[in-house]
Coordinates of all heavy atoms in Angstrom, one line a residue:
M300 N -8.5 7.2 8.6 CA -8.3 7.9 9.8 C -9.3 9.0 9.9 O -9.4 9.8 9.0 CB -6.8 8.4 9.8 CG -6.5 9.2 11.1 SD -4.8 9.9 11.1 CE -3.8 8.7 10.3
T301 N -10.0 9.1 11.0 CA -10.9 10.2 11.3 C -10.2 11.4 11.8 O -9.1 11.3 12.2 CB -12.0 9.7 12.3 OG1 -11.4 9.6 13.5 CG2 -12.7 8.4 11.9
A302 N -10.9 12.6 11.7 CA -10.3 13.8 12.3 C -10.0 13.7 13.7 O -9.0 14.2 14.2 CB -11.3 15.0 12.0
E303 N -10.9 12.9 14.5 CA -10.7 12.7 15.9 C -9.4 11.9 16.2 O -8.6 12.2 17.0 CB -11.9 12.0 16.5 CG -11.8 11.9 18.0 CD -13.1 11.3 18.6 OE1 -14.2 11.8 18.4 OE2 -12.9 10.3 19.3
T304 N -9.3 10.8 15.4 CA -8.1 10.0 15.5 C -6.8 10.8 15.1 O -5.8 10.7 15.8 CB -8.2 8.8 14.6 OG1 -9.4 8.1 15.0 CG2 -7.0 7.8 14.8
A305 N -6.9 11.6 14.0 CA -5.7 12.3 13.6 C -5.3 13.4 14.7 O -4.1 13.6 14.9 CB -6.0 13.0 12.3
G306 N -6.3 13.9 15.4 CA -6.0 14.9 16.4 C -5.3 14.3 17.6 O -4.7 15.0 18.4
A307 N -5.4 13.0 17.8 CA -4.8 12.3 18.9 C -3.5 11.7 18.6 O -2.9 10.9 19.3 CB -5.8 11.2 19.4
Q308 N -2.9 12.1 17.5 CA -1.6 11.6 17.0 C -0.6 12.8 16.8 O -1.0 13.9 16.7 CB -1.7 10.9 15.7 CG -2.5 9.6 15.9 CD -2.4 8.8 14.6 OE1 -1.8 9.2 13.6 NE2 -3.1 7.6 14.6
Y309 N 0.6 12.4 16.7 CA 1.7 13.4 16.3 C 2.7 12.6 15.5 O 2.7 11.4 15.4 CB 2.3 14.1 17.5 CG 3.2 13.2 18.4 CD1 4.5 13.1 18.3 CD2 2.6 12.4 19.4 CE1 5.3 12.3 19.1 CE2 3.4 11.6 20.2 CZ 4.7 11.6 20.0 OH 5.5 10.8 20.8
V310 N 3.6 13.4 14.8 CA 4.6 12.8 14.0 C 5.9 12.9 14.8 O 6.3 14.0 15.2 CB 4.7 13.4 12.7 CG1 5.9 12.9 11.9 CG2 3.5 13.2 11.9
A311 N 6.6 11.8 15.1 CA 7.9 11.8 15.7 C 9.0 11.9 14.6 O 8.9 11.1 13.7 CB 8.1 10.6 16.6
E312 N 9.9 12.8 14.7 CA 11.0 12.9 13.8 C 12.3 12.6 14.6 O 12.6 13.2 15.5 CB 11.1 14.3 13.2 CG 9.9 14.8 12.6 CD 10.0 16.3 12.1 OE1 11.2 16.8 12.1 OE2 9.0 16.9 11.8
F313 N 13.0 11.6 14.1 CA 14.3 11.2 14.7 C 15.4 11.9 14.0 O 15.7 11.6 12.9 CB 14.4 9.7 14.7 CG 13.2 9.0 15.5 CD1 12.2 8.5 14.8 CD2 13.2 9.0 16.8 CE1 11.1 7.9 15.4 CE2 12.1 8.4 17.5 CZ 11.1 7.9 16.8
I314 N 16.1 12.8 14.7 CA 17.0 13.7 14.1 C 18.5 13.2 14.1 O 19.3 13.8 13.4 CB 16.9 15.1 14.7 CG1 17.2 15.1 16.1 CG2 15.6 15.7 14.4 CD1 17.3 16.5 16.7
D315 N 18.8 12.1 14.9 CA 20.1 11.6 14.9 C 20.1 10.2 15.4 O 19.0 9.6 15.6 CB 21.1 12.5 15.7 CG 20.7 12.6 17.2 OD1 19.6 12.1 17.6 OD2 21.4 13.3 17.9
G316 N 21.3 9.6 15.6 CA 21.4 8.2 16.1 C 21.0 7.2 15.0 O 20.9 7.5 13.8
P317 N 20.7 6.0 15.4 CA 20.5 4.9 14.5 C 19.2 5.1 13.7 O 19.1 4.5 12.6 CB 20.4 3.6 15.4 CG 20.6 4.0 16.8 CD 20.8 5.5 16.8
L318 N 18.3 5.8 14.2 CA 17.0 6.1 13.4 C 17.0 7.4 12.7 O 15.9 7.9 12.3 CB 15.8 5.9 14.4 CG 15.7 4.6 15.1 CD1 14.5 4.6 16.1 CD2 15.6 3.4 14.1
E319 N 18.1 8.0 12.6 CA 18.2 9.4 11.9 C 17.4 9.4 10.6 O 17.6 8.5 9.8 CB 19.6 9.7 11.7 CG 19.8 11.1 11.1 CD 21.3 11.5 10.9 OE1 22.2 10.7 11.2 OE2 21.5 12.6 10.4
G320 N 16.6 10.4 10.5 CA 15.8 10.6 9.2 C 14.5 9.9 9.2 O 13.8 10.1 8.2
E321 N 14.2 9.1 10.2 CA 13.0 8.3 10.2 C 11.9 9.1 10.8 O 12.1 10.0 11.7 CB 13.1 7.0 10.8 CG 14.1 6.1 10.0 CD 14.0 4.6 10.5 OE1 12.9 4.2 11.0 OE2 15.0 3.9 10.3
F322 N 10.6 8.9 10.4 CA 9.4 9.5 11.0 C 8.5 8.4 11.4 O 8.5 7.3 10.8 CB 8.7 10.3 9.9 CG 9.5 11.5 9.4 CD1 10.5 11.4 8.5 CD2 9.2 12.8 9.9 CE1 11.2 12.4 8.0 CE2 10.0 13.9 9.5 CZ 10.9 13.7 8.5
E323 N 7.7 8.7 12.4 CA 6.7 7.7 12.9 C 5.5 8.4 13.5 O 5.6 9.4 14.2 CB 7.3 6.8 14.0 CG 6.4 5.8 14.5 CD 7.1 4.9 15.6 OE1 7.7 3.9 15.1 OE2 6.9 5.2 16.8
H324 N 4.3 7.9 13.1 CA 3.1 8.5 13.7 C 2.9 7.8 15.1 O 3.0 6.6 15.2 CB 1.9 8.2 12.8 CG 1.8 9.0 11.6 ND1 1.2 10.2 11.6 CD2 2.3 8.8 10.4 CE1 1.4 10.7 10.4 NE2 2.0 9.9 9.6
R325 N 2.7 8.6 16.1 CA 2.6 8.1 17.5 C 1.3 8.7 18.1 O 0.9 9.8 17.7 CB 3.8 8.5 18.3 CG 5.1 7.8 17.8 CD 6.3 8.0 18.6 NE 6.1 7.4 19.9 CZ 6.5 6.1 20.2 NH1 7.0 5.4 19.3 NH2 6.3 5.7 21.5
V326 N 0.8 8.1 19.1 CA -0.4 8.5 19.8 C -0.1 9.4 20.9 O 0.9 9.1 21.7 CB -1.2 7.3 20.3 CG1 -2.5 7.7 21.0 CG2 -1.6 6.4 19.1
L327 N -0.8 10.5 21.1 CA -0.6 11.4 22.2 C -1.0 10.6 23.5 O -1.9 9.8 23.5 CB -1.5 12.6 22.1 CG -1.2 13.6 20.9 CD1 -2.3 14.6 20.8 CD2 0.2 14.2 21.1
V328 N -0.3 10.9 24.6 CA -0.5 10.2 25.9 C -1.0 11.3 26.8 O -0.2 12.3 27.1 CB 0.8 9.5 26.4 CG1 0.5 9.0 27.8 CG2 1.3 8.5 25.4
G329 N -2.2 11.2 27.3 CA -2.8 12.2 28.1 C -2.9 13.6 27.4 O -2.8 14.6 28.0
G330 N -3.1 13.5 26.1 CA -3.2 14.7 25.3 C -1.9 15.4 24.9 O -1.9 16.5 24.3
K331 N -0.8 14.8 25.3 CA 0.6 15.3 25.0 C 1.5 14.3 24.3 O 1.3 13.1 24.6 CB 1.2 15.7 26.3 CG 0.5 16.8 27.1 CD 1.2 17.0 28.4 CE 0.5 18.0 29.3 NZ 1.2 18.2 30.6
P332 N 2.5 14.8 23.6 CA 3.5 13.8 23.1 C 4.4 13.4 24.2 O 4.5 14.1 25.2 CB 4.2 14.7 22.1 CG 4.0 16.1 22.5 CD 2.7 16.2 23.2
E333 N 5.0 12.2 24.0 CA 5.9 11.7 25.0 C 7.1 12.6 25.1 O 7.5 13.1 24.0 CB 6.3 10.3 24.7 CG 5.2 9.3 24.7 CD 5.0 8.6 23.4 OE1 5.0 9.2 22.3 OE2 4.9 7.3 23.4
S334 N 7.8 12.7 26.2 CA 9.0 13.4 26.3 C 10.2 12.5 26.1 O 11.3 13.0 25.8 CB 9.1 14.1 27.7 OG 9.1 13.2 28.7
R335 N 10.0 11.2 26.1 CA 11.0 10.2 25.9 C 10.4 9.0 25.4 O 9.4 8.5 25.8 CB 11.7 9.9 27.3 CG 12.9 9.0 27.2 CD 13.6 9.0 28.6 NE 14.6 8.0 28.7 CZ 15.9 8.2 28.3 NH1 16.3 9.3 27.8 NH2 16.8 7.2 28.5
V336 N 11.1 8.4 24.3 CA 10.5 7.2 23.7 C 11.7 6.2 23.6 O 12.8 6.5 23.4 CB 9.9 7.4 22.3 CG1 8.7 8.3 22.5 CG2 10.8 8.0 21.3
G337 N 11.3 4.9 23.8 CA 12.2 3.8 23.5 C 11.8 3.1 22.3 O 10.7 2.8 22.0
M338 N 12.8 3.0 21.4 CA 12.5 2.3 20.1 C 13.3 1.1 20.0 O 14.5 1.0 20.4 CB 12.9 3.3 18.9 CG 12.2 4.6 19.0 SD 10.4 4.5 18.6 CE 10.5 4.0 16.9
F339 N 12.7 0.0 19.4 CA 13.4 -1.3 19.2 C 13.8 -1.4 17.8 O 13.0 -1.0 16.9 CB 12.5 -2.4 19.6 CG 12.2 -2.5 21.1 CD1 11.1 -1.8 21.6 CD2 13.0 -3.2 21.9 CE1 10.8 -1.8 23.0 CE2 12.8 -3.2 23.3 CZ 11.7 -2.6 23.8
A340 N 15.0 -1.9 17.5 CA 15.5 -2.1 16.2 C 16.5 -3.3 16.2 O 17.1 -3.5 17.2 CB 16.1 -0.9 15.6
A341 N 16.6 -4.0 15.1 CA 17.5 -5.1 15.0 C 18.8 -4.5 14.5 O 18.9 -3.8 13.4 CB 17.0 -6.1 14.0
V342 N 19.9 -4.8 15.2 CA 21.3 -4.4 14.8 C 22.1 -5.7 14.7 O 22.2 -6.4 15.7 CB 21.9 -3.4 15.7 CG1 23.3 -3.1 15.3 CG2 21.1 -2.2 15.8
D343 N 22.6 -6.1 13.6 CA 23.4 -7.3 13.4 C 22.6 -8.5 13.9 O 23.1 -9.4 14.5 CB 24.7 -7.2 14.1 CG 25.6 -6.2 13.4 OD1 25.5 -6.0 12.2 OD2 26.5 -5.7 14.1
G344 N 21.2 -8.5 13.7 CA 20.4 -9.6 14.0 C 20.0 -9.7 15.5 O 19.3 -10.5 15.9
L345 N 20.5 -8.7 16.3 CA 20.1 -8.6 17.7 C 19.2 -7.5 18.0 O 19.4 -6.4 17.4 CB 21.4 -8.5 18.6 CG 22.4 -9.6 18.5 CD1 23.6 -9.2 19.3 CD2 21.8 -10.9 19.1
E346 N 18.1 -7.7 18.8 CA 17.2 -6.6 19.1 C 17.9 -5.6 20.0 O 18.5 -6.0 21.0 CB 15.9 -7.2 19.7 CG 14.8 -6.2 19.8 CD 13.5 -6.8 20.1 OE1 13.2 -6.9 21.3 OE2 12.8 -7.2 19.2
S347 N 17.8 -4.4 19.7 CA 18.4 -3.3 20.5 C 17.4 -2.3 20.9 O 16.5 -2.1 20.2 CB 19.6 -2.7 19.7 OG 20.6 -3.6 19.4
V348 N 17.6 -1.6 22.0 CA 16.7 -0.6 22.5 C 17.5 0.8 22.4 O 18.6 0.9 22.8 CB 16.3 -0.8 23.9 CG1 15.4 0.4 24.4 CG2 15.6 -2.1 24.1
F349 N 16.8 1.7 21.7 CA 17.4 3.1 21.5 C 16.5 4.1 22.2 O 15.3 4.1 21.9 CB 17.6 3.4 20.0 CG 18.4 2.4 19.3 CD1 17.9 1.7 18.2 CD2 19.7 2.1 19.7 CE1 18.7 0.8 17.5 CE2 20.5 1.2 19.0 CZ 20.0 0.5 18.0
W350 N 17.0 4.9 23.0 CA 16.2 5.9 23.7 C 16.4 7.3 23.1 O 17.5 7.7 22.7 CB 16.6 6.0 25.2 CG 16.1 4.8 25.9 CD1 16.9 3.7 26.3 CD2 14.8 4.6 26.4 NE1 16.1 2.8 26.9 CE2 14.8 3.3 27.0 CE3 13.6 5.3 26.4 CZ2 13.6 2.8 27.6 CZ3 12.5 4.8 26.9 CH2 12.5 3.5 27.6
Y351 N 15.3 8.0 22.9 CA 15.3 9.3 22.3 C 14.5 10.3 23.2 O 13.5 9.9 23.8 CB 14.6 9.2 20.9 CG 15.4 8.7 19.8 CD1 15.6 7.3 19.7 CD2 16.1 9.6 19.0 CE1 16.4 6.8 18.7 CE2 16.9 9.1 18.0 CZ 17.0 7.7 17.8 OH 17.8 7.2 16.8
D352 N 15.0 11.5 23.3 CA 14.4 12.5 24.1 C 13.8 13.6 23.2 O 14.5 14.1 22.2 CB 15.4 13.2 25.1 CG 15.9 12.1 26.1 OD1 15.0 11.5 26.7 OD2 17.1 12.0 26.2
A353 N 12.6 14.1 23.5 CA 12.0 15.2 22.8 C 12.8 16.5 23.0 O 13.2 16.8 24.1 CB 10.6 15.4 23.2
V354 N 13.1 17.2 21.9 CA 13.9 18.4 22.0 C 13.2 19.6 21.4 O 13.5 20.8 21.7 CB 15.3 18.3 21.4 CG1 16.1 17.3 22.1 CG2 15.2 17.9 19.9
E355 N 12.1 19.4 20.6 CA 11.4 20.5 20.0 C 10.1 20.0 19.5 O 10.0 18.9 19.1 CB 12.2 21.0 18.8 CG 11.6 22.1 18.0 CD 12.3 22.5 16.7 OE1 13.2 21.7 16.3 OE2 12.0 23.5 16.2
Q356 N 9.0 20.9 19.6 CA 7.8 20.5 18.9 C 7.2 21.7 18.2 O 7.5 22.9 18.6 CB 6.8 19.9 19.9 CG 6.3 20.9 21.0 CD 5.3 20.1 21.9 OE1 5.6 19.0 22.4 NE2 4.2 20.8 22.2
R357 N 6.5 21.5 17.1 CA 5.9 22.5 16.3 C 4.8 22.0 15.6 O 4.6 20.8 15.5 CB 7.0 23.1 15.4 CG 7.4 22.1 14.3 CD 8.7 22.6 13.6 NE 9.1 21.7 12.5 CZ 9.6 20.5 12.6 NH1 9.7 19.9 13.8 NH2 9.9 19.8 11.6
E358 N 4.0 22.9 15.0 CA 2.8 22.5 14.3 C 3.1 22.8 12.8 O 3.5 23.9 12.5 CB 1.5 23.2 14.7 CG 0.3 22.6 14.2 CD -1.0 23.1 14.8 OE1 -1.0 23.1 16.1 OE2 -1.8 23.6 14.1
V359 N 2.9 21.8 11.9 CA 3.1 21.9 10.5 C 1.8 21.5 9.8 O 1.3 20.4 9.9 CB 4.2 21.1 10.0 CG1 4.4 21.2 8.5 CG2 5.5 21.4 10.7
N360 N 1.2 22.5 9.1 CA -0.1 22.2 8.4 C -1.1 21.6 9.3 O -1.8 20.6 8.9 CB 0.1 21.4 7.2 CG 0.9 22.1 6.1 OD1 0.9 23.3 6.0 ND2 1.7 21.4 5.4
G361 N -1.2 22.1 10.5 CA -2.2 21.5 11.5 C -1.8 20.2 12.2 O -2.6 19.7 12.9
Q362 N -0.6 19.7 11.9 CA -0.2 18.5 12.5 C 1.0 18.7 13.5 O 1.9 19.4 13.1 CB 0.2 17.5 11.4 CG 0.7 16.2 11.8 CD 1.0 15.3 10.7 OE1 1.9 15.6 9.9 NE2 0.4 14.2 10.6
L363 N 0.9 18.2 14.7 CA 1.9 18.3 15.6 C 3.1 17.4 15.2 O 3.0 16.3 14.9 CB 1.4 17.9 17.0 CG 2.4 18.0 18.2 CD1 2.9 19.4 18.3 CD2 1.8 17.5 19.5
R364 N 4.3 18.0 15.2 CA 5.5 17.3 14.9 C 6.5 17.5 16.1 O 6.7 18.6 16.6 CB 6.2 17.8 13.7 CG 5.4 17.4 12.4 CD 6.1 17.8 11.2 NE 5.3 17.3 10.1 CZ 5.8 16.4 9.2 NH1 7.0 15.9 9.4 NH2 5.1 15.9 8.3
V365 N 7.1 16.4 16.6 CA 8.1 16.5 17.7 C 9.4 15.9 17.2 O 9.4 14.8 16.6 CB 7.5 15.7 18.9 CG1 8.5 15.7 20.0 CG2 6.1 16.2 19.3
R366 N 10.4 16.6 17.4 CA 11.8 16.2 17.1 C 12.4 15.5 18.3 O 12.4 16.0 19.4 CB 12.6 17.4 16.6 CG 12.1 18.0 15.3 CD 12.9 19.2 15.0 NE 14.3 18.9 14.8 CZ 15.0 19.1 13.7 NH1 14.4 19.5 12.7 NH2 16.3 18.7 13.7
F367 N 13.0 14.3 18.0 CA 13.7 13.5 19.1 C 15.2 13.4 18.8 O 15.6 13.1 17.7 CB 13.0 12.2 19.2 CG 11.7 12.2 19.8 CD1 10.5 12.4 19.0 CD2 11.5 12.0 21.2 CE1 9.3 12.4 19.6 CE2 10.2 12.0 21.7 CZ 9.1 12.2 20.9
R368 N 16.0 13.6 19.9 CA 17.4 13.4 19.8 C 17.8 12.1 20.5 O 17.3 11.7 21.6 CB 18.1 14.6 20.5 CG 19.6 14.5 20.4 CD 20.3 15.8 20.9 NE 19.8 17.0 20.2 CZ 20.2 17.4 18.9 NH1 21.0 16.6 18.2 NH2 19.7 18.5 18.4
F369 N 18.8 11.4 20.0 CA 19.3 10.1 20.4 C 20.0 10.3 21.8 O 20.8 11.2 21.9 CB 20.2 9.5 19.4 CG 20.8 8.2 19.7 CD1 20.0 7.1 20.0 CD2 22.2 8.0 19.7 CE1 20.5 5.9 20.3 CE2 22.7 6.8 20.0 CZ 21.9 5.7 20.3
D370 N 19.7 9.4 22.7 CA 20.4 9.3 24.0 C 21.3 8.1 24.0 O 20.9 7.0 24.4 CB 19.4 9.3 25.2 CG 20.0 9.3 26.5 OD1 21.3 9.1 26.6 OD2 19.3 9.5 27.5
A371 N 22.5 8.3 23.6 CA 23.5 7.2 23.4 C 23.8 6.5 24.8 O 24.0 5.3 24.8 CB 24.7 7.6 22.7
D372 N 23.9 7.3 25.8 CA 24.3 6.8 27.1 C 23.3 5.8 27.7 O 23.7 4.8 28.3 CB 24.5 7.9 28.2 CG 25.7 8.8 27.8 OD1 26.6 8.3 27.2 OD2 25.7 10.0 28.3
D373 N 22.0 6.0 27.4 CA 21.0 5.0 27.9 C 20.6 4.0 26.9 O 19.8 3.0 27.3 CB 19.7 5.8 28.3 CG 19.9 6.5 29.7 OD1 20.9 6.3 30.4 OD2 19.0 7.4 30.0
S374 N 21.1 4.0 25.7 CA 20.7 3.1 24.7 C 21.7 1.9 24.6 O 22.8 2.0 25.1 CB 20.7 3.8 23.3 OG 19.7 4.8 23.3
D375 N 21.3 0.9 23.9 CA 22.2 -0.2 23.6 C 23.3 0.3 22.7 O 23.0 1.2 21.9 CB 21.4 -1.4 23.0 CG 20.5 -2.1 24.0 OD1 20.7 -2.0 25.2 OD2 19.6 -2.8 23.5
P376 N 24.5 -0.3 22.7 CA 25.5 0.1 21.8 C 25.1 -0.1 20.3 O 24.4 -1.1 20.0 CB 26.7 -0.8 22.1 CG 26.4 -1.5 23.4 CD 24.9 -1.4 23.6
V377 N 25.5 0.7 19.4 CA 25.1 0.6 18.0 C 26.2 -0.1 17.2 O 25.9 -0.5 16.1 CB 24.7 1.9 17.4 CG1 23.4 2.4 18.0 CG2 25.8 3.0 17.5
E378 N 27.5 -0.1 17.6 CA 28.5 -0.7 16.8 C 28.5 -2.2 17.1 O 28.2 -2.7 18.2 CB 29.9 -0.1 17.1 CG 30.4 -0.3 18.5 CD 30.0 0.8 19.4 OE1 29.5 1.8 19.0 OE2 30.1 0.6 20.6
S379 N 28.8 -3.0 16.1 CA 28.9 -4.4 16.3 C 30.3 -4.8 16.9 O 31.2 -4.0 16.8 CB 28.7 -5.2 14.9 OG 29.8 -4.9 14.1
D380 N 30.4 -6.1 17.3 CA 31.7 -6.6 17.9 C 32.8 -6.5 16.8 O 33.9 -6.3 17.2 CB 31.5 -8.0 18.4 CG 30.6 -8.0 19.7 OD1 30.5 -7.0 20.4 OD2 30.1 -9.1 19.9
D381 N 32.4 -6.7 15.5 CA 33.4 -6.7 14.5 C 34.1 -5.3 14.4 O 35.3 -5.3 14.1 CB 32.8 -7.0 13.1 CG 32.1 -8.4 13.1 OD1 32.4 -9.2 14.0 OD2 31.4 -8.6 12.1
E382 N 33.4 -4.3 14.7 CA 34.0 -2.9 14.5 C 34.9 -2.6 15.7 O 35.7 -1.7 15.6 CB 32.8 -1.9 14.5 CG 32.0 -2.0 13.2 CD 30.8 -1.1 13.3 OE1 30.6 -0.4 14.3 OE2 30.0 -1.1 12.3
N383 N 34.8 -3.3 16.8 CA 35.7 -3.1 17.9 C 37.0 -3.8 17.9 O 37.8 -3.6 18.8 CB 34.9 -3.5 19.2 CG 33.7 -2.6 19.5 OD1 33.7 -1.4 19.2 ND2 32.7 -3.2 20.1
D384 N 37.2 -4.6 16.9 CA 38.5 -5.4 16.8 C 39.6 -4.6 16.2 O 39.4 -3.7 15.5 CB 38.3 -6.6 15.9 CG 37.4 -7.6 16.6 OD1 37.3 -7.6 17.9 OD2 36.7 -8.4 15.9

């Protein structure tokens, strides 16, 4: 990764929801981090979409980090049918 490429990226930190504790390198869009991201993940073998909203950003050792909070209302349900019985 070149310095130019590294400067065009940020680290997304997922602070809650199904992706809690996960980190991902993402590309800046128009020189800025996204304010909302949709993430795909398999839950019980079915592909689900989880929406996260940016709530905080900071620089750590010269690297931009953005914290994202789970938006349960706009996301696919996370519990399986078995849990609803």
Side-chain angles (χ1 to χ4, degrees):
M300 179 182 325
T301 67
E303 184 176 305
T304 304
Q308 293 186 359
Y309 68 97
V310 175
E312 302 176 14
F313 300 99
I314 60 175
D315 61 357
L318 301 178
E319 181 177 3
E321 293 195 27
F322 294 82
E323 179 177 277
H324 287 272
R325 297 186 64 91
V326 177
L327 296 171
V328 177
K331 299 177 185 178
E333 299 123 310
S334 60
R335 184 169 172 86
V336 296
M338 300 294 292
F339 292 90
V342 176
D343 293 332
L345 299 173
E346 193 169 89
S347 299
V348 179
F349 304 122
W350 288 99
Y351 282 82
D352 295 309
V354 293
E355 176 189 12
Q356 66 182 45
R357 66 197 185 289
E358 195 169 306
V359 177
N360 295 328
Q362 182 178 57
L363 180 61
R364 291 183 171 248
V365 180
R366 294 174 58 121
F367 286 88
R368 182 168 308 282
F369 181 56
D370 183 346
D372 291 337
D373 284 347
S374 299
D375 289 340
V377 291
E378 64 272 347
S379 68
D380 290 336
D381 297 349
E382 295 173 359
N383 293 328
D384 292 336

